[in-house]
Amino acid sequence: MKALLVCEYREGKLLETSYELVTFAEKLGAEKAMVLIGSESEAPKVNGTVYLADAGKYGEYNPDVHKKIVLAAIERENPDYVVFVHSSFGWDLAPRVAASLKAGQVSEIVDIVDGKFEVGVCNAKLRRTVAPKSGKAVLTIQAGAFSAAAASGAPQLERIEPADGASALEFVGYEPAEKKDVDLTRAEIIVSAGRGVGKKENVPVIAALAKAMGGELGASRPVVDAGWVEHSHQVGTTGQTVSPKLYVACGISGAIQHLAGMKKSDFIVAINKDKDAPIGEVADVLVVADVLQFAPALTAMLQK
């Protein structure tokens, strides 16, 4: 079994998520080769073949040309799976490649179970396992679902160019995201409210703890979707990606999308009634308690 892993490169840098693709391939038990449209100096440090196309010539992103480059690598490598990260890059390029190959696509994979792919359904509240029927398949993996492999190895670089590098499209650049009311990326302490707080009227309990700790209020996606907290406070793949010195998760179960947004925090404290909640796997300290009892008690102690 072979997997062709498509790296991401942005503003002159290889993105760390490219090494999550390596972990995915290893868990799948597949031989791996990689594709990078970037620079030689940023080639992933792995053992194996890396097909390299020059971003200076083809642009950091051009869907027409990048699709042709990936297809050229597929022709050389003949992989069973072509794998992207489930990001704006992957969302756009993966289906173009799948359509060209007339292959099936499985999107936003969060795990591998008995050789099949686990994906979220019902707004990630449930999971199901699926397997593509086509001989080849295009896959995208949820960022953060597979821990990044260590950057270690000496790649065997092979230059690759599309037969036709022409395109009616031109890469212009990146447009900064709209400025948020709260910039959680700069916060050293974040205290986040999850669905476990019960209702909107209980959010001030978590906000008070955040204030007492000198931090900012964060929130999980279900809390934002319910209208309890503004979207500017959301942490996760559809919110802000944060790396504070201290992250306190209050009543948050630990969905992959949320973990991907806060797993780089220096120290993680989780408060949850469920001792088996997935958040406990990444937490440095897991407090098994009712958050609506524990948080006010901690706030009162900090205010003394």
Side-chain angles (χ1 to χ4, degrees), residues 101-137:
L101 295 174
K102 294 182 172 55
Q105 179 173 329
V106 180
S107 298
E108 206 167 357
I109 296 168
V110 297
D111 201 0
I112 301 170
V113 180
D114 297 328
K116 295 183 178 180
F117 305 116
E118 190 170 274
V119 298
V121 292
C122 299
N123 200 20
K125 294 179 176 65
L126 300 173
R127 292 186 183 183
R128 63 176 178 169
T129 53
V130 298
K133 290 184 176 181
S134 56
K136 277 185 171 51

Side-chain angles (χ1 to χ4, degrees), residues 29-110:
E31 295 179 37
K32 65 181 182 299
M34 304 184 83
V35 182
L36 171 65
I37 299 97
S39 63
E40 183 173 342
S41 63
E42 287 294 311
K45 294 179 175 62
V46 294
N47 291 317
T49 302
V50 174
Y51 295 99
L52 177 66
D54 184 6
K57 181 177 181 179
Y58 298 114
E60 288 199 2
Y61 188 61
N62 181 310
D64 285 347
V65 179
H66 283 211
K67 180 188 75 172
K68 294 172 185 176
I69 292 170
V70 173
L71 290 174
I74 291 170
E75 187 174 349
R76 290 197 199 179
E77 197 66 28
N78 191 28
D80 300 282
Y81 298 113
V82 184
V83 194
F84 299 79
V85 174
H86 194 73
S87 61
S88 55
F89 176 90
W91 301 334
D92 191 48
L93 193 54
R96 296 172 188 268
V97 172
S100 296
L101 295 174
K102 294 182 172 55
Q105 179 173 329
V106 180
S107 298
E108 206 167 357
I109 296 168
V110 297

Side-chain angles (χ1 to χ4, degrees), residues 50-288:
V50 174
Y51 295 99
L52 177 66
D54 184 6
K57 181 177 181 179
Y58 298 114
E60 288 199 2
Y61 188 61
N62 181 310
D64 285 347
V65 179
H66 283 211
K67 180 188 75 172
K68 294 172 185 176
I69 292 170
V70 173
L71 290 174
I74 291 170
E75 187 174 349
R76 290 197 199 179
E77 197 66 28
N78 191 28
D80 300 282
Y81 298 113
V82 184
V83 194
F84 299 79
V85 174
H86 194 73
S87 61
S88 55
F89 176 90
W91 301 334
D92 191 48
L93 193 54
R96 296 172 188 268
V97 172
S100 296
L101 295 174
K102 294 182 172 55
Q105 179 173 329
V106 180
S107 298
E108 206 167 357
I109 296 168
V110 297
D111 201 0
I112 301 170
V113 180
D114 297 328
K116 295 183 178 180
F117 305 116
E118 190 170 274
V119 298
V121 292
C122 299
N123 200 20
K125 294 179 176 65
L126 300 173
R127 292 186 183 183
R128 63 176 178 169
T129 53
V130 298
K133 290 184 176 181
S134 56
K136 277 185 171 51
V138 175
L139 314 173
T140 68
I141 65 170
Q142 172 65 60
F146 300 87
S147 299
S152 175
Q156 179 185 338
L157 298 180
E158 291 194 20
R159 300 285 175 174
I160 192 164
E161 296 187 5
D164 176 13
S167 173
L169 300 177
E170 179 185 357
F171 176 75
V172 176
Y174 302 104
E175 182 176 330
E178 183 179 344
K179 189 174 181 180
K180 301 174 176 65
D181 295 336
V182 179
D183 187 359
L184 296 178
T185 63
R186 296 181 178 275
E188 293 192 346
I189 298 174
I190 298 173
V191 182
S192 284
R195 188 163 37 197
V197 303
K199 55 185 178 180
K200 183 176 183 178
E201 289 72 19
N202 292 333
V203 172
V205 173
I206 310 305
L209 177 58
K211 183 177 180 180
M213 299 184 77
E216 295 283 359
L217 175 67
S220 64
R221 179 174 175 174
V223 168
V224 172
D225 287 349
W228 299 355
V229 176
E230 293 294 323
H231 182 266
S232 58
H233 293 267
Q234 184 175 326
V235 174
T237 53
T238 53
Q240 299 187 56
T241 299
V242 301
S243 53
K245 291 182 179 178
L246 174 62
Y247 189 87
V248 184
C250 300
I252 295 174
S253 62
I256 290 295
Q257 292 85 348
H258 188 80
L259 297 183
M262 47 67 75
K263 66 176 183 176
K264 292 183 180 178
S265 304
D266 289 348
F267 197 87
I268 300 170
V269 176
I271 308 168
N272 202 295
K273 288 192 293 186
D274 182 4
K275 65 180 177 62
D276 297 317
I279 192 76
E281 296 178 9
V282 300
D284 295 285
V285 174
L286 173 62
V287 180
V288 181

Side-chain angles (χ1 to χ4, degrees), residues 278-303:
I279 192 76
E281 296 178 9
V282 300
D284 295 285
V285 174
L286 173 62
V287 180
V288 181
D290 184 335
V291 68
L292 296 179
Q293 294 178 357
F294 186 85
L298 180 57
T299 300
M301 183 176 293
L302 291 169
Q303 289 174 338

